[in-house]
Amino acid sequence: MTLYNLLIDSKTIAPQLLVVLAGILSLAAFVFPVRWRKVYLLIANLVPLAAAICISWERLSAIPGRAFSSLLILDGLANYLNLFFLVLLAGVVILSMTYLRRGEEMAGEYFSLLDFAALGLMVMTSGLNLMVIFVGLELTSLALYALCAYRRDDRLAIESSVKYFLLGSYASGFFLMGLALVFGACGTVSIDRMLGLLVDGRQTLLVAGLALLLIGLLFKLAAVPFHLWVPDVYQGAPTPVVAFMSVGPKVAVVAILLRLLPIASVASDRSLTVFWVLTVLTMTVANLVALRQDDVKRMLAYSSIAHAGYLMVGLTAYLGSYYGSDVSPEGMHITSLLYYLTVYLFMNLGAFGLIMLWEEGGLGRKLKDIKGLAVGQPLQAGLMAVILFSLAGIPPLAGFMGKFLVFGATVKTGLIYLAVIGVLNSVIAAFYYLRVLVMMYMHTDAPKKQALVSGWALAVVIVCVFLIFLVGILPGKLQVLVSYAGGLIG
Amino acid sequence: MNWYTYTIPFLPLTGAAINGLIGKRLPRPLVGLIACAAMLAAAIFSTMTLFDLLRLPVEERSLYGELYNWMTSGELSVGFGFLVDQLSVVMMLVVSWVGFLIHVYSVGYMAHDNGFARYFSYLNLFAGLMLILVMAGNFPLAFAGWEGVGLCSYLLIGFWHHKKSAADAGKKAFIVNRIGDFGFLLGLALLFANVGSLDYRQVFAAAMVGEIDPQIALGVSLLLFVGAMGKSAQLPLYVWLPDAMEGPTPVSALIHAATMVTAGVYMVIRCRPLFELDPTALTVVLIVGTATAIFAATIGLAQRDIKRVLAYSTVSQLGYMFMACGLGAYIVALFHLMIHAFFKALLFLGSGSVIHAMHDEQDMFKMGGLKAKLKTTYWTFLWGSLAIAGIFPFAGFFSKDEILFKAFAGHHYIIWGIGAFTALLTSFYVFRVVFMTFHGKHRGPDFGKVHESPALMTVPLVVLAILSLVGGWVGISFLGEHNYFHQFLAPLLAGGHHAAGGEHHLKLEIVLAIFSVTLAFFGIWLARHLVLARRDRLELLTRKFGPAHKTLVGKYYVDEIYDAVLVRPLNRLSKIFWQVIDDGVIDGLVRFQGVWTQMAGRLLALFSSGQVRRYALYFLVGAVAVIGYFIKG
């Protein structure tokens, strides 16, 4: 590869490079006096991010291209998700401005780690080579392990970080082992070349390798039974980071699975069963356990597992479309999944943003702490109400359209029972979401402690709520956007 | 389509939003100003749209514009699109201009009401949704408007919701309309299932080239007509309209006389390609319309409440419009719709002025002699009455006369006979109101306190009175050539059914006109004779035909019959469903679900012990299971 080619390829990953730039600039924050750091970090992060968002927006409908000898693919899916991660990152950066409001906490490392975590996600979604995907996976994971323990004096934060690290490395081991076996079976780790080699379907080595890969990925997606770390880690980690990791890695894994599942469908006819069972387990277990939580943050952790389950419903349907005789257009599955992901981003960013305000203000996040919040802080209670209604999937909010599209695609693929179980799970879920509403609204006395009121975080939450309404009432616009990604995969 | 055409429905909606959200904090004059200005702007833009249409060549007078893609689901794709053609522009003009006048009137009428801002918010909301209904380019959007105006009607009938009768009337209107709306919705479903589109242009184009099975078209038309029967208060779903008079009088004028109740007529005219595919559909429309016309007119003869007489009159006049539709004379139906909007709005507003002057007294038996005190109200009311009675040269003459003429020319002699007889009843009952209210001696107390309404209320009356006179002149067709109104609408609405015209018919038309004017005068004379000159004879008649009179006063006991046959059995049935099935079976099941899910949750929560070793173990078990299943055998 000549230097010239390298430069050309670098242009194709301009958004990623801008994120790297933001990460490096953030590290330089320590040269500024404490009171200037906030402004500096805001500029150093948001300006490159804004540029990257603009570039990615322009590329949404671009023709698929490859870079670095097909190590990276920049198709509609990758382009859309790059934009997605940039928006997520920008949202989390702004939330963090509230979280790190005390001057001494406002260190560049935090933002730098966030930026690199996002970079890892972008690498994962664009990776066409399992090795590259692994690098992205580890980049994100390592950054997140460190971020979880950002408040070093907090016992829960340390616990969160250590648990995440231990179990994360464990899962990475599975992924790496799978990688080795797949390489042994195919002689390549490039996804598109593997597809070409798969003529003879039943190779035990390959199947075992794929199974290990899937397990590694399902850990990141927080599928049952690989989910137990989630509540403990979310509970202790800084809330903006939780907002980030409850969305980012899952979405990246969805993208990888969208690329891998066609291979799995050829390699073994049992993939669908495995996915079906794990999906049902994930939804059901998460929703049932969420019923027992009295901590809103833990409840949202289980809720995020449940939502991973709904995402898996979409993935299972996508997988099923490769088995079915009457193959429904696969674009439908991808677009419905991307639609759901996007909605999920708004909902989680908003929900964790509000939880952060409650925690940081000293209000607490137990159900009993927020009794009567609607009296004391009607704005925050109202915003949370909208988000919870959307999470529960009540029309006309975006959460409803998301579920509607995913379950609709599932029914069209013929997996009717799966859709029915999914809908039944939504019913269970409504209970624990609405219980928070009952706490906030059905008590006449305002809580003694107050939630924090901070412009940064509230701005993010309000934008999210606005988008939840907008996307729910006018689903067409977002459908057009995600259809680029759905139509231009590969 | 020009930009201002798009804004027409959104102007009143914006007014509604402003007054609804912050109206309470605004000074009253500003609230009124916002509401009226929104309507005036909509009216002006509608007029400009009319001129836009007139500038186009005759065959291109149909504009379609889409704001955005409203929804897409499978084959169904619905745009938020407006279709402006001759039909919708007439409706837009009626809705916006009459609406504007009634808004102005309301500023005076509601001046002392506590819910001033709420009232105007609802009224503007209504106008906006009504404009969406008539401008919609597809069925779903029209249905959104259709449901929306129903909601506003409910809100405004029950505007004084602390009064039980008003709250009940609102509910009744809403529920009866649900029945109709359900038919409408079924019609849309049937249409979509068979045609695959709900866009007006596509559906009607398919109907015209015969792509729709006449049987299906018949089903769709009849279901749509059920919707129209509900909204336009036709037999047997008319019962809500008289009760709707519980709302403020300007509401009765706007919603329950001039605009909303004519939506059904509009819908039938709009869907004429479907109705024409099978002759049965139009026959049903004709029969229902005619029956309603005479049925409601007879009830109107014996009511004491001034607004109820007008309400039954509205039902009867709507019957005339459907009669015209059933005859295939859509232009005439639309013409009568427009004229009726003028004179019936006028009559309602006039009655409102009387009620205002009499301090909320609606019983005509306690009125009389008001002519001396309420000069403007009297004269304008008289003009309106002459118009509805069909006296030449008032507007009602032209429209009603043309309907009867179409019936006669189409050899529907029985229909014509009923129509003519109803015309006689009409002139009788309306002049009964005039004579009882304005002439003779005052029968109530406090004649001294009666005062004429403020200019805000009388000016709209005068404008509407003038329209009730000259409004019909656009429809003069005596000179052999077709009139302006007809010329404007003919390219759209004149189908194969239009065969009238020519020398022979001109003579016939004049003869019939003279006959019906004579009938109208006879009705007036009869009213004067019985109410003013020889009251004893009226009493004699009442006694002689006691049972018949009682039946009329009791409105044929339809409400009571519905109550006994439908409402009470339904109530009993729902009580069973509620107490046994819902409370017992379903709630029991739900509670059981709650119990076991909580139990399962408690059990599963045991897994999250907080110990990493355990977590890793469960992980491993899961992994082994997955891999084992994959590679086994």
Side-chain angles (χ1 to χ4, degrees):
Chain A
M1 178 181 275
T2 63
L3 189 64
Y4 175 74
N5 278 340
L6 204 61
L7 280 174
I8 292 289
D9 284 357
S10 302
K11 221 174 89 184
T12 61
I13 56 161
Q16 285 89 332
L17 291 178
L18 280 165
V19 175
V20 174
L21 176 69
I24 294 171
L25 286 179
S26 300
L27 279 178
F30 72 93
V31 302
F32 291 89
V34 169
R35 63 200 153 93
W36 288 2
R37 273 186 204 161
K38 189 167 187 172
V39 181
Y40 170 74
L41 283 168
L42 203 63
I43 295 170
N45 279 286
L46 290 188
V47 171
L49 282 186
I53 285 174
C54 290
I55 295 171
S56 305
W57 181 268
E58 288 296 312
R59 288 190 182 169
L60 271 184
S61 54
I63 301 158
R66 296 186 179 195
F68 302 108
S69 324
S70 285
L71 286 180
L72 293 183
I73 180 161
L74 293 152
D75 54 2
L77 181 67
N79 285 331
Y80 182 80
L81 287 181
N82 281 344
L83 179 64
F84 178 95
F85 293 133
L86 289 166
V87 173
L88 169 69
L89 179 59
V92 173
V93 163
I94 299 173
L95 281 185
S96 305
M97 289 295 153
T98 296
Y99 188 77
L100 305 177
R101 64 197 181 288
R102 284 168 296 185
E104 69 275 17
E105 285 186 331
M106 191 57 79
E109 289 87 340
Y110 176 91
F111 293 94
S112 184
L113 284 169
L114 264 185
D115 290 333
F116 287 120
L119 177 68
L121 298 176
M122 293 165 87
V123 171
M124 278 154 90
T125 43
S126 320
L128 198 55
N129 184 301
L130 288 173
M131 215 58 180
V132 173
I133 290 175
F134 182 71
V135 170
L137 193 72
E138 285 306 292
L139 181 56
T140 304
S141 301
L142 288 170
L144 287 177
Y145 301 149
L147 277 172
C148 282
Y150 187 71
R151 281 188 175 165
R152 274 164 305 187
D153 45 355
D154 184 356
R155 201 185 58 81
L156 273 176
I158 301 291
E159 182 191 330
S160 150
S161 175
V162 171
K163 275 184 180 168
Y164 193 23
F165 172 66
L166 285 175
L167 290 166
S169 333
Y170 192 53
S172 293
F174 277 83
F175 189 90
L176 212 50
M177 189 67 202
L179 195 77
L181 292 188
V182 168
F183 181 70
C186 299
T188 176
V189 284
S190 166
I191 292 176
D192 59 343
R193 251 181 281 162
M194 270 158 66
L195 258 177
L197 292 171
L198 283 173
V199 273
D200 172 26
R202 301 185 56 82
Q203 303 171 38
T204 311
L205 201 58
L206 175 69
V207 170
L210 277 175
L212 287 165
L213 282 179
L214 285 182
I215 289 164
L217 290 171
L218 288 175
F219 170 82
K220 289 286 168 199
L221 191 61
V224 173
F226 317 113
H227 70 291
L228 285 156
W229 57 280
V230 173
D232 292 7
V233 171
Y234 284 15
Q235 195 177 13
T239 310
V241 175
V242 176
F244 184 85
M245 67 184 180
S246 71
V247 180
K250 284 185 191 170
V251 172
V253 166
V254 168
I256 298 168
L257 286 175
L258 284 176
R259 298 191 198 284
L260 271 184
L261 287 181
I263 299 174
S265 75
V266 182
S268 167
D269 48 6
R270 297 186 174 181
S271 315
L272 187 60
T273 320
V274 169
F275 251 80
W276 197 96
V277 171
L278 291 182
T279 303
V280 170
L281 267 180
T282 305
M283 288 190 294
T284 315
V285 169
N287 279 319
L288 287 176
V289 178
L291 290 176
R292 304 291 317 160
Q293 305 303 318
D294 58 356
D295 178 320
V296 181
K297 205 172 173 188
R298 275 185 85 91
M299 184 274 277
L300 278 175
Y302 279 106
S303 142
S304 84
I305 302 175
H307 280 273
Y310 304 138
L311 289 174
M312 286 171 72
V313 170
L315 286 169
T316 310
Y318 172 72
L319 183 61
S321 71
Y322 280 90
Y323 287 105
S325 48
D326 53 336
V327 176
S328 42
E330 61 180 67
M332 172 182 79
H333 294 100
I334 298 173
T335 52
S336 65
L337 267 171
L338 291 179
Y339 190 97
Y340 195 94
L341 291 173
T342 312
V343 173
Y344 180 66
L345 163 69
F346 303 146
M347 297 191 296
N348 264 26
L349 211 51
F352 283 111
L354 285 167
I355 298 271
M356 178 185 73
L357 289 173
W358 298 353
E359 273 178 334
E360 299 297 301
L363 178 70
R365 47 182 210 223
K366 297 271 189 217
L367 276 175
K368 62 176 171 25
D369 296 332
I370 57 167
K371 266 187 193 166
L373 189 69
V375 183
Q377 268 152 329
L379 175 68
Q380 293 198 16
L383 291 169
M384 192 52 142
V386 175
I387 293 169
L388 290 171
F389 273 124
S390 179
L391 280 166
I394 311 270
L397 300 169
F400 166 75
M401 272 316 286
K403 278 199 181 120
F404 176 76
L405 291 173
V406 168
F407 292 150
T410 312
V411 169
K412 275 185 202 154
T413 319
L415 297 167
I416 292 166
Y417 288 113
L418 191 62
V420 169
I421 295 171
V423 172
L424 286 178
N425 266 292
S426 308
V427 178
I428 301 178
F431 172 80
Y432 58 80
Y433 292 131
L434 299 187
R435 192 167 56 176
V436 178
L437 282 181
V438 171
M439 283 294 166
M440 291 194 300
Y441 279 90
M442 306 216 171
H443 291 273
T444 44
D445 300 326
K448 288 187 191 69
K449 292 172 187 159
Q450 288 291 304
L452 186 68
V453 176
S454 159
W456 295 112
L458 276 179
V460 173
V461 176
I462 288 170
V463 169
C464 288
V465 168
F466 172 75
L467 287 169
I468 286 172
F469 271 111
L470 187 74
V471 170
I473 294 168
L474 303 175
K477 299 277 175 211
L478 183 57
Q479 273 177 316
V480 171
L481 276 190
V482 295
S483 70
Y484 288 134
L488 294 175
I489 191 167
Chain B
M1 223 151 82
N2 278 315
W3 62 271
Y4 46 79
T5 310
Y6 288 105
T7 63
I8 293 171
F10 297 105
L11 289 163
L13 290 178
T14 313
I18 295 173
N19 280 337
L21 292 174
I22 55 168
K24 262 192 169 171
R25 290 180 209 149
L26 299 177
R28 288 189 174 211
L30 187 59
V31 169
L33 191 69
I34 291 170
C36 294
M39 286 308 294
L40 182 63
I44 291 171
F45 287 166
S46 299
T47 315
M48 285 160 71
T49 308
L50 171 70
F51 287 116
D52 286 346
L53 272 190
L54 287 174
R55 266 198 294 276
L56 291 169
V58 173
E59 60 276 9
E60 286 172 23
R61 283 178 183 168
S62 169
L63 303 170
Y64 182 83
E66 204 166 296
L67 280 181
Y68 61 92
N69 184 5
W70 191 21
M71 50 182 154
T72 306
S73 172
E75 292 169 51
L76 179 67
S77 176
V78 180
F80 202 98
F82 295 137
L83 178 66
V84 176
D85 55 10
Q86 293 95 322
L87 172 60
S88 30
V89 89
V90 169
M91 291 300 291
M92 283 154 63
L93 288 169
V94 169
V95 172
S96 57
W97 278 113
V98 174
F100 167 65
L101 291 173
I102 294 173
H103 271 69
V104 172
Y105 176 95
S106 298
V107 176
Y109 191 86
M110 300 298 285
H112 306 295
D113 199 278
N114 283 331
F116 193 72
R118 182 165 63 97
Y119 174 82
F120 277 101
S121 167
Y122 291 166
L123 212 59
N124 261 345
L125 180 65
F126 166 78
L129 291 166
M130 186 71 201
L131 286 165
I132 286 185
L133 164 56
V134 297
M135 290 173 71
N138 53 57
F139 282 103
L141 188 57
F143 187 67
W146 181 275
E147 290 290 289
V149 293
L151 171 71
C152 293
S153 159
Y154 162 76
L155 290 172
L156 284 164
I157 293 169
F159 183 73
W160 290 309
H161 47 75
H162 44 82
K163 237 168 66 184
K164 187 174 181 312
S165 57
D168 285 349
K171 272 193 278 181
K172 185 170 176 182
F174 200 72
I175 293 167
V176 175
N177 265 299
R178 301 305 315 153
I179 302 172
D181 294 349
F182 188 61
F184 194 97
L185 205 54
L186 284 180
L188 295 196
L190 185 62
L191 187 64
F192 179 68
N194 285 285
V195 184
S197 169
L198 288 174
D199 188 275
Y200 281 160
R201 290 165 307 162
Q202 288 171 15
V203 169
F204 299 145
M208 299 223 196
V209 299
E211 278 175 16
I212 302 178
D213 180 15
Q215 291 288 317
I216 299 292
L218 177 64
V220 172
S221 321
L222 290 181
L223 285 167
L224 292 181
F225 186 58
V226 171
M229 287 194 310
K231 190 110 319 197
S232 294
Q234 295 297 292
L235 278 176
L237 298 180
Y238 72 97
V239 287
W240 64 272
L241 187 58
D243 285 22
M245 297 302 128
E246 289 289 342
T249 307
V251 170
S252 312
L254 177 61
I255 301 185
H256 306 116
T259 55
M260 184 192 82
V261 288
T262 60
V265 181
Y266 164 78
M267 197 42 77
V268 171
I269 301 177
R270 175 60 78 195
C271 302
R272 71 205 171 279
L274 291 172
F275 280 80
E276 282 174 355
L277 279 180
D278 190 308
T280 320
L282 284 178
T283 311
V284 171
V285 174
L286 179 64
I287 292 170
V288 170
T290 312
T292 309
I294 185 158
F295 180 80
T298 52
I299 301 180
L301 295 175
Q303 298 301 309
R304 292 173 68 120
D305 182 322
I306 182 168
K307 280 179 77 182
R308 284 199 177 242
V309 177
L310 294 176
Y312 282 107
S313 156
T314 304
V315 176
S316 166
Q317 296 294 316
L318 289 165
Y320 269 117
M321 294 174 211
F322 281 113
M323 193 194 286
C325 290
L327 293 165
Y330 307 109
I331 301 179
V332 185
L334 189 64
F335 187 43
H336 193 58
L337 186 161
M338 179 177 87
I339 304 295
H340 175 256
F342 298 151
F343 66 63
K344 191 51 72 61
L346 170 61
L347 288 174
F348 265 113
L349 295 184
S351 77
S353 179
V354 169
I355 294 165
H356 197 69
M358 297 283 300
H359 301 285
D360 297 329
E361 181 55 65
Q362 303 195 4
D363 188 348
M364 291 190 294
F365 281 57
K366 294 184 184 154
M367 298 175 186
L370 294 176
K371 185 171 131 187
K373 291 234 170 183
L374 310 177
K375 288 222 168 53
T376 320
T377 307
Y378 169 66
W379 282 107
T380 50
F381 198 91
L382 185 65
W383 280 36
S385 307
L386 290 168
I388 189 176
I391 305 293
F392 182 82
F394 285 89
F397 164 77
F398 299 103
S399 58
K400 192 186 295 179
D401 187 55
E402 224 177 321
I403 296 176
L404 294 178
F405 166 68
K406 293 282 180 197
F408 198 88
H411 309 293
H412 297 286
Y413 300 116
I414 298 172
I415 301 289
W416 174 81
I418 297 174
F421 182 62
T422 307
L424 170 67
L425 296 179
T426 307
S427 76
F428 175 80
Y429 69 62
V430 76
F431 273 90
R432 175 171 166 268
V433 173
V434 172
F435 293 130
M436 285 185 82
T437 312
F438 293 101
H439 292 259
K441 272 207 202 83
H442 192 69
R443 289 177 294 276
D446 299 338
F447 190 59
K449 280 191 196 163
V450 173
H451 59 90
E452 178 62 295
S453 305
L456 268 176
M457 289 164 68
T458 48
V459 171
L461 288 179
V462 173
V463 177
L464 283 169
I466 294 168
L467 281 173
S468 300
L469 176 63
V470 304
W473 296 353
V474 296
I476 297 179
S477 60
F478 277 94
L479 303 171
E481 277 186 42
H482 288 317
N483 53 65
Y484 285 123
F485 194 76
H486 191 106
Q487 273 178 359
F488 178 59
L489 284 158
L492 183 71
L493 296 180
H497 287 260
H498 181 73
E503 192 69 12
H504 165 66
H505 284 99
L506 187 61
K507 275 184 202 150
L508 178 66
E509 197 168 350
I510 293 173
V511 171
L512 287 177
I514 292 170
F515 177 70
S516 60
V517 172
T518 316
L519 273 183
F521 273 117
F522 176 65
I524 298 173
W525 174 82
L526 200 64
R528 186 180 156 71
H529 184 71
L530 291 177
V531 174
L532 289 180
R534 300 295 302 272
R535 220 182 155 74
D536 50 325
R537 288 197 179 167
L538 178 65
E539 272 149 27
L540 189 74
L541 271 175
T542 326
R543 238 174 297 130
K544 210 165 178 183
F545 296 99
H549 179 253
K550 254 194 185 151
T551 315
L552 289 186
V553 173
K555 306 162 235 164
Y556 293 102
Y557 304 112
V558 173
D559 277 328
E560 284 74 10
I561 295 169
Y562 280 2
D563 194 49
V565 177
L566 292 172
V567 179
R568 257 179 279 162
L570 260 178
N571 267 340
R572 267 196 295 269
L573 190 66
S574 15
K575 212 165 183 180
I576 295 173
F577 276 119
W578 163 38
Q579 286 175 342
V580 179
I581 305 213
D582 205 67
D583 270 4
V585 180
I586 296 176
D587 277 12
L589 279 174
V590 169
R591 269 191 289 271
F592 173 68
Q593 299 293 329
V595 170
W596 85 254
T597 42
Q598 292 277 2
M599 294 278 284
R602 196 171 301 179
L603 202 69
L604 288 168
L606 292 179
F607 283 92
S608 25
S609 56
Q611 289 186 329
V612 181
R613 268 172 297 173
R614 294 254 176 100
Y615 291 178
L617 181 67
Y618 302 137
F619 186 123
L620 189 64
V621 170
V624 167
V626 168
I627 298 165
Y629 177 77
F630 260 123
I631 58 179
K632 186 186 77 122

